Amino acid sequence: MSLPETLDLNHSQSNHSVGKNSISIHDNGKNQNPVLSSPKKDKNKGKTTKGKSFKFQRASMIAKQEDLQKQQHGNGNGMDHRDPANDSNVDVDVDMDDATMKKMQEMMAKFGPGDGNGNGMKPPSFLAKKIMAKKMGKYAVMMRENGTNTASATKLSGENQNQNANANANAVLTMKVQAQVEQLTSDKEALLSRCRKLESQNIIAAAQTLDIISIAIGIGVCAIVYYVYARLALLFCNYFVESMYMYMYASVDTDVNMDGNVDDSIMEYEHEHEMVHKVGILLLKSIIIAIPYLHNKYNYNITYRRFQVFSVAFIMIARIKLTRWRVKKYISSAKTDSDTDTETDGNPESSSQGPSNTSNLSALRKGSSGAASSSSYFGEGITEDDIWEGVYEVNARFLYSSILRLRGLWTKSAQYLSSRADFVPIAYVRELSKLMDEAPSTTWKDVEVMLKRAGIMENFIYIEKEPIASASIGQVHLATLKNGTKDKKEKVVIKVQHPFAQTLLSDDFISLRIIARITSILEPEYKFIEKLMNEWATEARNELDFNIEVKNLITARESVKSMLETCDMMTDAIDSSMEDDGESRSCEPVPFSVEIPYPHKELSSKQVMVMDFCEGKRIDDVEQIKKCNVPKEAVMNAVSQVFAHQMYASDIFNGDPHPGNIFIRPGTATENRNGNVRSSKSDKTGFTIVVLDWGLAKRLPDLKRIGFCQMVFAASTFDFGLMMDGFKSLGLELKREDVAEDMEGVRFLLRDMAPREKARKRVKAKMKTDIKRSKGKKKGEKVPMKSDKYPGEFFFFVRTNELLHGLGSKLGVDMKYLDVLKPFAEKGLRRSNRYMMKPNLPPDPILTENIFDITLQNKIVDILEKLESSNEISGAQVCVIDGEGKTLAHSVKGHMGSLKKHIPLRSDAVILGFSTTKGIAATLAHRLVQEGYLSYDEPICDRIWPNFCPTVDVPDTILEALEDSTQVDKVRQQWQWKRVITLRHILSHSAGLWSKLPAKLSIKSLASCESCVKGFEYNPDKPEDTLLPTSEPGSENIYHYISFGWLVAGCCVGAYNLRHGKQATYSEVFGAVCSPLLSSDLKTAGFRPCGGGGGVHEIAFTDANIDLSRMAQMRREAEALGEKLEGMNFHGDSDDPATKKRKELFDGLKGKEFMLDQRLWNSEDALNANVPAAGGRFSSKGLALFYHELGKGAILSSETLSYATKIAFDQSGGLNELIGQTDMTGTNNSVPESQVSAKFGLGYQVIPLPGENNHLFGHVGVGGSLGFHHVQSETSIGIMLNMTGSGENGKHIMKIISDHLKW
């Protein structure tokens, strides 16, 4: 075939070059094609210059023409005119940009030199062929576009220039150039055609070879097993027959002669029955030997099927293992040798050390003299991806042909794999996708028998004998149904089950169960696989009964009806790009509808089903999507909405959403059985999604559906507590609680959709991260869940979401999947009783309450309305009580928060108080001191809490557990610091344990005060978990944001138990010491210092306005996917004290980032959690009444209270974002803010104001909730907000109150 003859890499020059360097195409004769040469180098700069051009040169000049032209010019000095049509030495320059030049050079480097006659070009590799197709195509287009310009680029000079000759010459030259370009294009197409044929032949031949080998292995192994079986059967027969002979001989009356010989009667008996015995033995042996063949032929229609299954698996595994070895041997070693050669070539000393022992591959790059050869070797530039791509192509075709034989479960497995375009190589997706609706079909003869057996043949006017689709379970035939009248005909489809479908699937599941059982025995951690197989087998068995599918279709149609009634049926607006036409635009909302086939129950049976025919084509048909005139992103968004509604807001979902089961068609008009159009949209706009094949459908109990809703909503909002609630609802029990890793896993399952390459990169990176983490875990910890507590429904939840991800990747869309699921999951949660108001609640008591300061009440109402309208609060309660116990103001605004935001907030609802709880815990400690249980200044480890620091010297086990031996002296010092910690240090936040958290802290363990208290004790079994102070007690005051409560609880419980000789809990101690001192009005108003609700008190949920937990989780997930997020440094890089403290805080939270999410307190475990530093739940009136009674001396004596509220430390040494500083200055106060900010007393925050005995004490929590008592006016206030944030809202409300009351 004719090709570009020579790809010359030598430099050439021309007198008529526009640029200094050029790629020249030399015409060496009329019947020869151009020769490409590389660009010349600039001698001065040593690099290719920017001016580049194509030069078309002829071989020689005609002397007579020269003389004639000179005579016409009249002199010999001017530039002569040459006719490009006849002159063979004319240069024509065509400018080429840098990018095109570079690509042409790459193309030339790939193909190397030829012999000038089209025979010297080396056979192109798979990769080289693709490069040539692309590059040469661009070259041909460029030459066509510039063909007419080449003639005008010819430079002619001279006074007597002939314009007509110039125009003719240009036209002739243009025609020649165009002819050459067309020839080049033709050569390229011919080359590509031959390459395609060669590759196809090689790939198909390799796949066929593997198929033959697989069959041969299957037959060979079958023959061996059959031979062993036959030998054993024959031995059994011989033994059986011999036993029968002995029995029969024993029944014969025999006599023995005097000489000991047997009587002739036996001989006669043998002679008479010899033939019968032989025939019987032969028949018995034949039956036993034929049993396996008959069994397989009757049940599976294949005599050696199970052997074929294992032979296919063996070949696939062997191919993958060999490819890995090949890559490691030739690709990895070649890279290493290349690097070695580079170092050797650049090192003068290395060349004198004799030949190196490098790979032969490296030697291929060298000529005989060791210098780099200008000729490339065969296979140069091949990569690991190229090798795997070739292997995938062969394996995919081999697997396809094998599954055509095996059928059964393997067809369904192939359908699943072909739907996972986000993970499975494209070759498998392309080949195996044929099995979605092009699986081997049953003959019409067998189908007709089944239809007659079902007794429905007379109900049809016409049935197409060829199926319109065939899948793993059955095939579908188009038919026309008789519907009572001659004029009215209805188009339907008949779904007929394959004859051997049930036996094949059953046999395959038996094999899978055996494999799963063996796996669970060898690796008990993976016992859950057996449960998953049982779940799949159960549902697959249901898929074989078409009566069940009919019921599923009826329920699914009801689900669609509810969706049409409750949803707007519009796709979401998506910012995306359409790459098909190269234009970038956003996806505006598009109307869509949903259709489920109507089943004809009266015509359906176990193996035959009749349903309405639904128009449409497969969802992955790009041409069909173009007919709908909508972006692919909109289509995928609609499909996701449909399945989200099924899974989270209805009772059934399709568990097999591969492209063969989802159709699409233009328009939104769908008809019900009465002919009424369901969609209100025009049938000419939008599109309709048709969901088929409801055999593999899953019905979820309410609790399981709520569990999936919780899990999805938690993943979309980074709500760690809700995710754990979801696991509990599903019945999924974990061996350990690592909420950050669990959140990462759930969010990866529901990750953003992406095009195939991007999605595959993410999946591979995640798998690599999981493998790396698994290697660092002990045996028994690699699988986080308990195998016997793994819900079977989880299998179909994962399967459905992964299939949808595969569809998204196949369509090549970028879409935030969780954003689509979130509203449907939230809708599903609203149906749960847990997120509804308690029934039969009495009227809100605020409706009948007397207010004694209407002006203040109106001011508070105004500010709350303003904050609500600006979305700065979710719900708020404010209560102000004077010294006589009268309510000056009491106002409520907003909702119950989070998933309860549809419920209005009540005045007696309890809201999480966060650090306002510290004031109540401190009150208990002061009461115990007042009653003589303990003192402020005795080391707590001496008497009341000995396990806190049990020995004088640091135990050797702690020193041995140190990873850094240089820390021994520091640990010894920290141990001594811990031994001198007192209650005063704890109450004044100067114990040095401010950043410490118990090891293995989880949401569940957080709920137990006693468990967390033990975390601060020395445990000889876990010495590495010992918590030590970071500074000398009393030396600095740093806010103990969470450890404060556990340290106070440890002291109080220890002192109480020491006196009473019992093991009481913290809540029991509070109930015994403080509860009797509190009034009944306080308790009924809403006061739960140990957490929980109780009685008629609704528990409001917390809304989070702080993004730290989300940012920390996003950073973790990005690292797991091999990506990096910018701007994720929480504590900065400076060395100032505040930054160091902040770094220490986040280091202490590493692995416990869920603590940064205030919404964790909404989880079931945390609702009743007893956390003395942050877990109390109060109403504003309950908190105000507590400080009212505390200030009036009902709980502590005036002496104790006065001592406890003296300023012990200024809180400026702490982290303000954890403390929640509160400015109490009013408009009538000119005192600087720094003088009225909260200070630390002993457990209380103290806010000094101008004047004698003019201060407030109490405590503020994260987000602005607070409780304070103003000593001078004896006024108490309570402010409860259920949205966490900066605390500015509570501060603003406090200033309005202080201004009004003129504090």
Side-chain angles (χ1 to χ4, degrees):
M1 71 186 216
S2 180
L3 293 171
E5 282 79 4
T6 306
L7 298 178
D8 187 7
L9 300 181
N10 297 322
H11 302 308
S12 61
Q13 296 183 357
S14 172
N15 296 328
H16 298 283
S17 176
V18 175
K20 294 182 179 179
N21 302 295
S22 64
I23 294 182
S24 300
I25 301 182
H26 310 288
D27 189 354
N28 296 323
K30 293 183 179 181
N31 297 323
Q32 293 180 349
N33 286 326
V35 180
L36 299 180
S37 66
S38 65
K40 297 176 291 185
K41 304 277 183 165
D42 191 315
K43 295 181 180 179
N44 297 325
K45 297 183 179 180
K47 60 183 181 180
T48 304
T49 59
K50 293 184 178 179
K52 305 179 180 73
S53 64
F54 276 114
K55 289 183 174 297
F56 297 82
Q57 295 185 338
R58 302 297 181 185
S60 63
M61 182 187 300
I62 302 176
K64 290 183 179 180
Q65 186 179 2
E66 269 189 357
D67 295 339
L68 179 60
Q69 288 173 346
K70 288 180 181 180
Q71 293 175 7
Q72 291 175 349
H73 295 330
N75 58 69
N77 298 325
M79 183 176 183
D80 55 350
H81 174 74
R82 303 183 180 113
D83 183 0
N86 299 317
D87 192 354
S88 59
N89 196 29
V90 176
D91 298 343
V92 181
D93 299 338
V94 181
D95 288 337
M96 175 186 275
D97 58 26
D98 291 347
T100 307
M101 171 64 72
K102 183 177 180 182
K103 292 178 180 179
M104 186 61 70
Q105 287 177 293
E106 293 174 354
M107 182 196 71
M108 292 187 296
K110 288 292 179 186
F111 287 91
D115 62 0
N117 295 316
N119 299 318
M121 183 174 289
K122 65 180 177 62
S125 66
F126 177 79
L127 184 62
K129 180 265 293 184
K130 293 195 296 184
I131 293 175
M132 180 180 181
K134 189 173 182 179
K135 312 302 187 205
M136 294 296 284
K138 279 193 173 184
Y139 160 70
V141 172
M142 183 276 298
M143 290 301 296
R144 287 193 184 99
E145 293 175 349
N146 292 282
T148 57
N149 296 329
T150 57
S152 61
T154 306
K155 298 182 178 179
L156 301 174
S157 62
E159 296 179 357
N160 299 320
Q161 209 174 34
N162 191 329
Q163 297 296 331
N164 293 332
N166 183 31
N168 293 336
N170 288 343
V172 173
L173 180 59
T174 300
M175 292 174 61
K176 282 183 171 286
V177 170
Q178 289 178 345
Q180 292 171 350
V181 170
E182 290 174 359
Q183 180 65 39
L184 184 61
T185 304
S186 175
D187 293 343
K188 179 203 71 172
E189 293 299 332
L191 175 62
L192 292 180
S193 176
R194 291 195 177 189
C195 288
R196 282 193 298 268
K197 293 175 181 177
L198 182 61
E199 283 187 354
S200 299
Q201 181 180 356
N202 290 340
I203 291 173
I204 293 173
Q208 288 177 335
T209 302
L210 290 178
D211 209 21
I212 294 172
I213 293 174
S214 171
I215 294 173
I217 292 175
I219 293 175
V221 175
C222 178
I224 293 172
V225 173
Y226 197 74
Y227 174 78
V228 173
Y229 167 80
R231 296 294 298 174
L232 293 175
L234 293 176
L235 288 175
F236 169 77
C237 288
N238 292 334
Y239 174 77
F240 178 75
V241 171
E242 184 178 350
S243 299
M244 290 295 296
Y245 275 159
M246 296 297 295
Y247 174 77
M248 288 186 292
Y249 291 160
S251 63
V252 178
D253 186 14
T254 60
D255 294 325
V256 181
N257 297 327
M258 296 296 296
D259 56 359
N261 296 326
V262 180
D263 195 6
D264 292 340
S265 59
I266 295 179
M267 303 299 294
E268 293 176 1
Y269 180 83
E270 286 182 350
H271 180 73
E272 292 175 0
H273 295 83
E274 181 178 5
M275 184 59 65
V276 176
H277 291 164
K278 288 183 178 180
V279 172
I281 292 173
L282 181 62
L283 182 61
L284 179 62
K285 290 181 179 180
S286 300
I287 292 173
I288 293 177
I289 292 175
I291 283 176
Y293 173 84
L294 296 174
H295 171 76
N296 284 279
K297 188 68 177 176
Y298 176 77
N299 288 310
Y300 313 125
N301 202 29
I302 301 177
T303 57
Y304 52 94
R305 182 173 185 274
R306 203 169 280 182
F307 299 101
Q308 278 292 289
V309 170
F310 289 108
S311 67
V312 170
F314 169 76
I315 288 179
M316 291 293 293
I317 294 172
R319 288 268 299 171
I320 292 172
K321 292 284 187 183
L322 284 172
T323 304
R324 288 176 179 170
W325 172 81
R326 195 181 308 146
V327 168
K328 184 178 180 181
K329 174 77 174 176
Y330 296 105
I331 300 298
S332 301
S333 63
K335 289 181 180 178
T336 304
D337 295 336
S338 177
D339 295 339
T340 305
D341 293 340
T342 303
E343 294 175 3
T344 303
D345 293 342
N347 186 358
E349 297 179 0
S350 62
S351 60
S352 62
Q353 296 175 358
S356 59
N357 296 324
T358 57
S359 172
N360 291 333
L361 282 175
S362 179
L364 290 174
R365 298 187 178 93
K366 302 291 183 179
S368 58
S369 62
S373 173
S374 60
S375 175
S376 60
Y377 64 90
F378 184 78
E380 180 185 16
I382 196 168
T383 65
E384 181 178 348
D385 289 340
D386 295 331
I387 291 180
W388 279 109
E389 185 179 352
V391 172
Y392 293 151
E393 290 289 343
V394 175
N395 284 0
R397 285 167 173 82
F398 163 65
L399 194 59
Y400 171 72
S401 61
S402 299
I403 292 175
L404 284 180
R405 293 195 314 273
L406 300 175
R407 305 175 70 171
L409 178 66
W410 312 114
T411 304
K412 296 195 71 65
S413 301
Q415 291 173 349
Y416 175 78
L417 290 175
S418 65
S419 302
R420 293 296 311 278
D422 59 325
F423 175 60
V424 177
I426 190 63
Y428 290 98
V429 174
R430 184 188 63 249
E431 292 298 319
L432 300 183
S433 61
K434 302 173 186 176
L435 295 168
M436 288 184 181
D437 48 20
E438 298 177 15
S441 60
T442 302
T443 62
W444 168 249
K445 183 179 180 181
D446 293 334
V447 171
E448 189 176 20
V449 170
M450 297 182 71
L451 293 178
K452 289 180 179 179
R453 189 187 307 155
I456 61 174
M457 284 289 289
E458 65 277 4
N459 293 280
F460 302 99
I461 299 174
Y462 171 75
I463 302 176
E464 285 191 6
K465 295 183 179 181
E466 289 296 323
I468 58 175
S470 179
S472 57
I473 301 296
Q475 61 192 47
V476 177
H477 293 261
L478 194 62
T480 304
L481 184 68
K482 297 177 183 177
N483 203 17
T485 64
K486 294 182 179 180
D487 297 333
K488 191 172 182 180
K489 301 175 182 178
E490 188 174 356
K491 187 184 291 187
V492 296
V493 292
I494 306 173
K495 184 175 180 180
V496 184
Q497 192 173 121
H498 293 311
F500 298 101
Q502 185 168 357
T503 51
L504 290 176
L505 281 174
S506 300
D507 179 68
D508 291 335
F509 274 115
I510 290 173
S511 301
L512 284 179
R513 280 173 171 169
I514 293 172
I515 295 172
R517 175 60 61 86
I518 294 173
T519 303
S520 63
I521 293 174
L522 298 177
E523 292 287 343
E525 279 192 271
Y526 296 93
K527 189 177 180 180
F528 69 93
I529 295 178
E530 185 177 357
K531 190 169 185 178
L532 294 183
M533 289 299 102
N534 292 334
E535 180 74 15
W536 190 11
T538 301
E539 295 301 328
R541 208 176 295 119
N542 292 338
E543 194 176 5
L544 292 166
D545 188 348
F546 289 170
N547 288 322
I548 296 178
E549 184 171 357
V550 168
K551 295 178 181 178
N552 292 340
L553 283 169
I554 294 172
T555 307
R557 287 171 62 84
E558 294 173 355
S559 172
V560 168
K561 181 179 179 181
S562 69
M563 183 179 183
L564 293 171
E565 292 173 351
T566 59
C567 301
D568 61 1
M569 303 306 291
M570 298 285 287
T571 63
D572 300 326
I574 308 171
D575 291 332
S576 183
S577 60
M578 295 286 292
E579 297 182 357
D580 292 342
D581 53 9
E583 297 181 7
S584 178
R585 54 182 177 269
S586 61
C587 295
E588 298 298 329
V590 179
F592 71 95
S593 187
V594 190
E595 185 173 3
I596 306 293
Y598 175 82
H600 294 261
K601 188 175 181 180
E602 68 281 1
L603 299 177
S604 301
S605 59
K606 186 175 181 179
Q607 294 184 320
V608 178
M609 182 175 65
V610 180
M611 53 189 166
D612 284 354
F613 174 75
C614 296
E615 296 284 351
K617 292 187 178 180
R618 280 176 43 160
I619 192 74
D620 57 351
D621 189 331
V622 178
E623 293 301 322
Q624 180 74 353
I625 294 176
K626 289 181 179 179
K627 288 181 182 179
C628 297
N629 196 28
V630 293
K632 292 181 289 186
E633 288 79 5
V635 173
M636 197 64 231
N637 182 274
V639 172
S640 300
Q641 287 192 47
V642 171
F643 280 88
H645 176 82
Q646 293 174 16
M647 298 177 73
Y648 312 120
S650 71
D651 301 324
I652 191 172
F653 69 90
N654 190 308
D656 200 19
H658 62 72
N661 288 340
I662 307 175
F663 283 8
I664 184 174
R665 69 166 180 264
T668 57
T670 58
E671 294 185 359
N672 62 13
R673 296 302 300 166
N674 298 323
N676 298 322
V677 177
R678 290 180 177 174
S679 176
S680 61
K681 308 293 181 184
S682 169
D683 61 351
K684 296 182 180 179
T685 61
F687 57 95
T688 297
I689 299 295
V690 182
V691 185
L692 306 172
D693 194 357
W694 286 81
L696 192 62
K698 191 66 182 174
R699 295 175 183 265
L700 292 176
D702 282 344
L703 185 60
K704 296 295 177 67
R705 181 182 56 79
I706 292 298
F708 287 127
C709 290
Q710 289 172 323
M711 200 163 65
V712 171
F713 192 78
S716 65
T717 57
F718 294 89
D719 192 332
F720 295 94
L722 186 63
M723 182 184 66
M724 301 309 296
D725 286 349
F727 289 168
K728 185 181 293 186
S729 299
L730 290 170
L732 183 65
E733 291 189 19
L734 303 174
K735 300 175 185 175
R736 74 350 167 221
E737 189 174 305
D738 186 345
V739 291
E741 184 174 323
D742 296 334
M743 176 65 78
E744 178 189 322
V746 174
R747 282 182 53 81
F748 179 75
L749 171 63
L750 305 171
R751 62 195 176 277
D752 294 346
M753 290 184 179
R756 195 183 71 87
E757 290 302 324
K758 185 177 180 181
R760 283 197 69 198
K761 182 179 179 182
R762 287 176 177 173
V763 174
K764 291 171 71 175
K766 183 65 169 63
M767 290 177 63
K768 188 180 295 185
T769 300
D770 289 343
I771 292 172
K772 183 178 179 181
R773 289 174 181 170
S774 179
K775 290 180 179 178
K777 294 178 180 178
K778 299 177 182 178
K779 189 174 182 180
E781 297 179 353
K782 295 183 178 181
V783 179
M785 75 288 293
K786 295 180 180 179
S787 293
D788 56 342
K789 298 294 183 181
Y790 194 92
E793 294 85 355
F794 203 79
F795 169 79
F796 287 97
F797 176 78
V798 173
R799 173 187 168 87
T800 301
N801 282 287
E802 291 292 2
L803 284 172
L804 291 176
H805 271 92
L807 176 58
S809 294
K810 200 168 187 179
L811 294 179
V813 301
D814 270 303
M815 188 181 77
K816 293 189 177 300
Y817 185 50
L818 268 173
D819 289 351
V820 181
L821 305 185
K822 179 182 175 182
F824 292 93
E826 186 174 4
K827 183 192 298 184
L829 290 175
R830 295 285 171 77
R831 295 170 55 182
S832 170
N833 292 332
R834 182 168 182 255
Y835 304 105
M836 300 297 291
M837 182 181 290
K838 290 182 178 180
N840 303 321
L841 284 176
D844 194 331
I846 199 174
L847 299 175
T848 57
E849 190 171 16
N850 293 324
I851 304 299
F852 290 87
D853 192 335
I854 300 300
T855 304
L856 178 60
Q857 174 79 2
N858 291 335
K859 289 181 179 180
I860 292 174
V861 170
D862 290 342
I863 184 61
L864 292 184
E865 289 179 348
K866 182 179 179 181
L867 292 174
E868 184 184 31
S869 63
S870 60
N871 294 322
E872 295 184 52
I873 60 171
S874 294
Q877 301 170 336
V878 181
C879 185
V880 184
I881 299 176
D882 66 6
E884 298 178 2
K886 297 178 181 178
T887 303
L888 300 181
H890 193 189
S891 182
V892 179
K893 212 67 175 171
H895 54 76
M896 297 283 282
S898 188
L899 290 171
K900 288 186 175 182
K901 63 184 179 182
H902 57 290
I903 304 175
L905 183 65
R906 291 170 55 100
S907 65
D908 57 352
V910 290
I911 299 175
L912 183 68
F914 290 106
S915 288
T916 58
T917 316
K918 289 184 176 68
I920 288 86
T923 302
L924 173 60
H926 290 304
R927 182 70 190 185
L928 290 173
V929 172
Q930 181 177 307
E931 295 185 7
Y933 282 82
L934 70 165
S935 66
Y936 292 116
D937 296 315
E938 66 171 319
I940 60 176
C941 66
D942 284 353
R943 185 176 64 90
I944 61 173
W945 195 0
N947 289 335
F948 182 71
C949 195
T951 61
V952 176
D953 296 324
V954 59
D956 293 337
T957 52
I958 294 180
L959 300 179
E960 292 170 359
L962 291 176
E963 296 180 358
D964 186 359
S965 59
T966 61
Q967 298 292 315
V968 171
D969 293 337
K970 181 180 179 181
V971 170
R972 287 197 174 103
Q973 184 184 51
Q974 290 175 324
W975 182 264
Q976 297 306 316
W977 286 347
K978 188 174 183 180
R979 285 193 57 80
V980 299
I981 292 177
T982 64
L983 180 61
R984 184 184 300 277
H985 293 141
I986 295 170
L987 292 175
S988 62
H989 297 271
S990 60
L993 293 165
W994 70 277
S995 63
K996 301 301 179 181
L997 296 172
K1000 311 296 183 184
L1001 182 65
S1002 64
I1003 295 177
K1004 190 172 184 178
S1005 63
L1006 177 70
S1008 170
C1009 177
E1010 287 66 38
S1011 174
C1012 293
V1013 166
K1014 285 186 177 295
F1016 285 85
E1017 298 177 351
Y1018 167 68
N1019 183 0
D1021 296 329
K1022 293 283 186 179
E1024 65 275 10
D1025 295 339
T1026 303
L1027 302 177
L1028 299 173
T1030 56
S1031 61
E1032 184 178 2
S1035 62
E1036 60 179 345
N1037 162 246
I1038 304 178
Y1039 188 64
H1040 288 47
Y1041 66 100
I1042 192 73
S1043 58
F1044 174 90
W1046 294 319
L1047 294 172
V1048 170
C1051 295
C1052 295
V1053 171
Y1056 183 86
N1057 289 339
L1058 181 63
R1059 175 178 291 189
H1060 296 281
K1062 56 169 37 172
Q1063 295 298 318
T1065 63
Y1066 175 78
S1067 59
E1068 292 171 344
V1069 172
F1070 186 88
V1073 176
C1074 287
S1075 288
L1077 305 175
L1078 306 178
S1079 67
S1080 59
D1081 289 343
L1082 187 156
K1083 295 175 183 177
T1084 57
F1087 186 77
R1088 307 286 295 179
C1090 297
V1096 297
H1097 296 115
E1098 280 277 351
I1099 301 178
F1101 279 7
T1102 301
D1103 279 334
N1105 200 24
I1106 298 177
D1107 231 10
L1108 292 178
S1109 59
R1110 176 178 172 274
M1111 293 170 63
Q1113 185 65 25
M1114 288 180 66
R1115 179 176 62 176
R1116 175 190 176 99
E1117 293 172 8
E1119 291 173 353
L1121 297 179
E1123 300 170 354
K1124 185 177 181 181
L1125 292 182
E1126 300 295 335
M1128 302 296 285
N1129 190 354
F1130 298 132
H1131 43 71
D1133 298 320
S1134 63
D1135 294 330
D1136 62 275
T1139 299
K1140 290 182 178 179
K1141 297 299 182 187
R1142 195 171 288 107
K1143 184 178 185 302
E1144 184 179 344
L1145 168 67
F1146 283 105
D1147 288 344
L1149 288 170
K1150 191 172 184 180
K1152 309 177 184 73
E1153 290 86 355
F1154 65 89
M1155 291 291 296
L1156 297 171
D1157 182 14
Q1158 286 79 22
R1159 295 167 304 171
L1160 72 89
W1161 300 95
N1162 299 336
S1163 65
E1164 288 186 19
D1165 287 329
L1167 282 177
N1168 297 303
N1170 185 6
V1171 184
R1177 298 181 186 270
F1178 317 102
S1179 69
S1180 63
K1181 186 169 185 179
L1183 195 58
L1185 283 173
F1186 171 79
Y1187 278 103
H1188 168 72
E1189 296 180 9
L1190 180 62
K1192 298 293 287 185
I1195 304 174
L1196 297 178
S1197 66
S1198 58
E1199 293 80 8
T1200 302
L1201 184 60
S1202 176
Y1203 184 80
T1205 55
K1206 287 181 180 179
I1207 297 175
F1209 274 101
D1210 189 310
Q1211 67 183 29
S1212 61
L1215 295 176
N1216 294 340
E1217 56 263 40
L1218 295 176
I1219 298 168
Q1221 289 194 18
T1222 304
D1223 174 21
M1224 295 301 300
T1225 54
T1227 56
N1228 61 339
N1229 195 342
S1230 61
V1231 180
E1233 180 178 340
S1234 60
Q1235 296 183 23
V1236 294
S1237 295
K1239 316 294 181 182
F1240 278 122
L1242 293 180
Y1244 303 108
Q1245 287 178 315
V1246 181
I1247 303 177
L1249 297 174
E1252 185 178 355
N1253 198 30
N1254 190 19
H1255 66 275
L1256 297 95
F1257 69 87
H1259 219 290
V1260 67
V1262 174
S1265 295
L1266 56 86
F1268 276 96
H1269 179 77
H1270 184 235
V1271 177
Q1272 193 177 69
S1273 66
E1274 297 185 343
T1275 305
S1276 300
I1277 59 174
I1279 300 175
M1280 298 304 299
L1281 306 175
N1282 65 346
M1283 177 186 284
T1284 61
S1286 64
E1288 290 297 318
N1289 295 329
K1291 172 181 174 180
H1292 192 35
I1293 297 170
M1294 276 288 288
K1295 290 183 71 173
I1296 290 175
I1297 297 172
S1298 66
D1299 284 350
H1300 178 78
L1301 298 178
K1302 298 181 180 180
W1303 290 345

